[in-house]
Amino acid sequence: MSFDDDKDDGYEDYNSSPFASLSLYADEEDLIDLADAADPPKAELPSLTVSDPLETIVSALEGPPPIPSPVPAPVSPQKPAEPLQPAVLEETLIVAGVSLNSGETSQYMQQETMLNYLIKNALTDQASAIHLEPQEMLIRVRFRINGVMHQKTALPKNLGMPMAMRLKQLCSLEADKVDIPQRNRVQAKFNQNELELGLATYPGSWGETMVLTLRQKQSLQSGSILNLAQIGLSPLSFWRWQKSLSQPGGMLIVTGPARTGKTTSLYASIHALNILTRSISTAESPIEALIPGINQASWTPESGISFQDLIRSMSYLDPDVLLVSEWDSPETVEASVELALGGAKLVTTYPSFDTMGALLRLTTQGLEQFLIASSNVSILSQRLVRKLCEHCKQPERPRREYLKLLGLLEVEPESFELQIAKGCVECNHIGYSGQTAIHELLVINETIREAILNHQPAARIRELARTEAKLISMVEDGYFKCTQGITSLAEIQRVAFVNEFDSHDPRTAEEIVAICQAKEKSFH
């Protein structure tokens, strides 16, 4: 399952594509001199296939250049190209009911050929988004792969701008309005794979920046909804989160910045709760996946009612479990807490930096009222990290200074053998393939509840979380996953927040591993 966490990025890769051997790389400098070229002639489009490199397609669409220029070298090594079978060449990409393989039958054949090529290569690279960013002389194209931006190519503006306008038309946006942000989602299909494309535009000094998100449509019937065992929880966090889910009533909040997999964890949690003896209702904006057996409602600004009114209306269905896709305002929090006070279990997401930040912010937005009535609150903070490529990862002994930088003061470098990314043909010389999550799970107990209601400072609450609630920090959870060969310390440093208060209660490497493996009974 893969969610873009505008809604979240997921943890699993897209299915392998027959276009895995294609290349889409060019240096910006090699295309700057094309920016002032004449408009493409309306002559018959030469015969092209998706196996042709981008430079060949650009050259064919622009016409023969006055002076032949050398083919630019790839920015990074690619897998060796393999001959495409006839069936592969006939593969079709349909966006909003329009085939981008229409060729000469479309008046937009040049723009659609480029869009066809870009989108198929993004699916090949397992990218979650395509970024089209106008610069002074060209349009920069970057893909977001496993949460990290990768430069792919640069297009001359006289080719890239018409392509971008055609993309807006396909996504049902107003192509002539370039000075206001716009956003919409459309359905797409690549062969038998159902996709959802989301286009967001933003006015800039050199033209509209566009981000096209790509997401495979999910369905529980297809087995693509992840369960709790697949979202990267350590054994201890899995046991604690499952225990919170099994308790009657209460509130479970998944928090983190954008694109950290919150929605994936949310759906996995609802999947675990979805049994015949429970009534589950949702208020979502929008619905990310249809799950049989659940009453799901999608809210849009055109609905005629507010999001909080939709949430309140769920009480008429007498649900056992409520899902609110996101707490995006104090009014949404207040409406949700009102329902939770009635005894229903509430599962939701909240954009925040960490567990403590979410807890303290929410107490000013209505959560304090729930804490007074019940201490059954769990907050799961998470980040996505890239998984090491199984074909090329190598052993590493980290330096002590590096461990101290992460706040692991009592961890000895030689305690466990860690792994480091190298890069090979299998991972496109990146060293990583796929994503998983690292977590920090705070289960509110009576001590923390009293500290919050007495308005204790954040440092004191964090100290109580470590000593009384046995909190495992996100860095410690990440280090545990490093010892299992799943990811690297470099990834932990890239995404995890180091809390200075945790250094007052440091743990050794052996303690961290034993705790995360749920072998320490005092942490149960």
Side-chain angles (χ1 to χ4, degrees):
M1 176 180 188
S2 179
F3 289 142
D4 183 82
D5 199 30
D6 283 332
K7 299 299 178 177
D8 311 306
D9 287 320
Y11 309 127
E12 298 299 312
D13 299 334
Y14 287 108
N15 295 330
S16 59
S17 167
F19 292 90
S21 63
L22 297 184
S23 175
L24 184 61
Y25 292 86
D27 290 326
E28 294 185 4
E29 294 80 0
D30 295 313
L31 289 175
I32 288 178
D33 56 353
L34 292 176
D36 299 323
D39 290 335
K42 302 300 182 180
E44 181 179 354
L45 185 67
S47 178
L48 300 172
T49 70
V50 293
S51 60
D52 295 326
L54 178 61
E55 294 75 21
T56 301
I57 292 183
V58 172
S59 176
L61 297 179
E62 290 293 313
I67 301 177
S69 57
V71 177
V75 172
S76 60
Q78 297 294 294
K79 296 180 180 180
E82 299 177 358
L84 296 179
Q85 301 300 321
V88 175
L89 297 176
E90 298 174 0
E91 294 195 334
T92 301
L93 176 64
I94 299 174
V95 177
V98 177
S99 173
L100 298 188
N101 301 72
S102 56
E104 298 179 15
T105 63
S106 172
Q107 60 176 318
Y108 303 105
M109 57 183 178
Q110 296 175 349
Q111 298 93 317
E112 291 177 1
T113 298
M114 288 303 304
L115 284 173
N116 181 47
Y117 198 81
L118 285 174
I119 295 174
K120 285 182 178 179
N121 273 272
L123 293 173
T124 298
D125 286 352
Q126 302 171 10
S128 61
I130 302 173
H131 290 244
L132 304 175
E133 303 162 328
Q135 308 296 304
E136 184 177 9
M137 300 286 292
L138 47 83
I139 295 180
R140 182 172 63 180
V141 180
R142 295 193 290 173
F143 290 174
R144 185 177 291 279
I145 303 173
N146 293 332
V148 178
M149 298 287 283
H150 291 266
Q151 168 73 18
K152 286 298 175 182
T153 190
L155 300 175
K157 279 196 171 182
N158 63 341
L159 175 64
M161 294 303 292
M163 180 194 71
M165 292 303 102
R166 179 55 179 159
L167 180 59
K168 289 178 67 176
Q169 293 173 349
L170 291 172
C171 293
S172 301
L173 300 182
E174 298 184 62
D176 58 335
K177 292 187 177 181
V178 297
D179 55 349
I180 60 171
Q182 298 184 68
R183 183 182 180 186
N184 195 29
R185 296 187 182 199
V186 296
Q187 305 304 310
K189 186 175 182 180
F190 178 50
N191 290 340
Q192 301 305 314
N193 296 324
E194 299 288 339
L195 306 171
E196 185 176 71
L197 307 182
L199 181 63
T201 70
Y202 189 80
S205 56
W206 285 322
E208 280 186 297
T209 295
M210 298 186 186
V211 178
L212 180 68
T213 58
L214 307 98
R215 186 175 66 86
Q216 288 188 331
K217 293 187 67 175
Q218 309 296 330
S219 170
L220 186 63
Q221 293 174 330
S222 66
S224 55
I225 300 293
L226 300 184
N227 58 47
L228 289 180
Q230 295 175 293
I231 64 173
L233 292 168
S234 68
L236 177 65
S237 296
F238 176 80
W239 182 84
R240 286 178 169 180
W241 189 248
Q242 197 172 43
K243 180 180 178 181
S244 297
L245 286 171
S246 64
Q247 292 177 344
M251 193 176 294
L252 291 88
I253 306 167
V254 184
T255 186
R259 298 187 309 276
T260 54
K262 297 191 298 293
T263 301
T264 301
S265 296
L266 193 69
Y267 273 80
S269 301
I270 286 296
H271 186 187
L273 292 169
N274 188 18
I275 60 177
L276 288 175
T277 56
R278 287 196 183 103
S279 172
I280 303 178
S281 298
T282 77
E284 304 177 59
S285 177
I287 293 175
E288 296 290 342
L290 292 172
I291 306 177
I294 293 180
N295 305 311
Q296 294 178 266
S298 179
W299 179 85
T300 63
E302 296 79 21
S303 300
I305 62 171
S306 65
F307 190 39
Q308 51 266 30
D309 287 339
L310 178 64
I311 295 172
R312 290 189 177 97
S313 67
M314 286 193 291
S315 63
Y316 306 138
L317 302 178
D318 188 26
D320 300 305
V321 179
L322 306 169
L323 181 149
V324 177
S325 60
E326 184 178 64
W327 280 349
D328 56 359
S329 68
E331 293 77 18
T332 303
V333 176
E334 181 181 0
S336 302
V337 170
E338 288 176 3
L339 290 183
L341 287 171
K345 179 180 290 296
L346 176 67
V347 186
T348 187
T349 69
Y350 183 67
S352 181
F353 199 72
D354 62 357
T355 55
M356 209 58 59
L359 182 62
L360 297 180
R361 284 180 60 195
L362 286 171
T363 54
T364 65
Q365 298 181 8
L367 185 62
E368 183 172 340
Q369 182 184 6
F370 185 82
L371 288 173
I372 294 173
S374 170
S375 61
N376 188 10
V377 178
S378 298
I379 303 177
L380 181 70
S381 180
Q382 65 182 56
R383 298 289 191 279
L384 292 181
V385 294
R386 294 178 292 177
K387 294 192 294 185
L388 286 165
C389 174
E390 294 293 336
H391 300 278
C392 63
K393 61 183 181 181
Q394 291 186 340
E396 172 200 34
R397 175 174 292 183
R399 291 179 296 145
R400 186 179 299 274
E401 294 77 10
Y402 196 67
L403 294 169
K404 288 183 177 180
L405 185 65
L406 290 170
L408 302 171
L409 303 183
E410 295 297 320
V411 172
E412 298 294 333
E414 62 276 2
S415 297
F416 291 92
E417 181 180 271
L418 308 185
Q419 304 290 323
I420 190 172
K422 180 185 177 184
C424 65
V425 174
E426 293 295 329
C427 62
N428 208 16
H429 294 271
I430 296 175
Y432 298 94
S433 179
Q435 289 178 288
T436 189
I438 58 175
H439 302 92
E440 181 176 287
L441 174 56
L442 175 62
V443 180
I444 306 298
N445 60 13
E446 189 65 26
T447 303
I448 297 178
R449 174 190 176 196
E450 291 298 324
I452 294 170
L453 297 180
N454 291 329
H455 304 288
Q456 294 290 318
R460 175 58 179 164
I461 297 175
R462 181 76 183 191
E463 180 183 357
L464 291 173
R466 292 280 289 180
T467 58
E468 301 295 328
K470 306 296 184 181
L471 176 72
I472 304 300
S473 72
M474 189 174 293
V475 170
E476 291 171 335
D477 185 68
Y479 177 77
F480 167 70
K481 291 180 171 67
C482 289
T483 65
Q484 307 303 300
I486 298 173
T487 189
S488 67
L489 282 179
E491 279 294 283
I492 306 305
Q493 184 187 27
R494 182 177 68 87
V495 303
F497 174 68
V498 180
N499 196 305
E500 61 181 276
F501 303 115
D502 297 344
S503 60
H504 299 162
D505 180 31
R507 295 169 177 142
T508 66
E510 291 76 13
E511 288 175 336
I512 293 173
V513 172
I515 291 169
C516 290
Q517 289 179 335
K519 294 181 178 179
E520 291 289 336
K521 299 300 182 183
S522 62
F523 282 75
H524 287 190

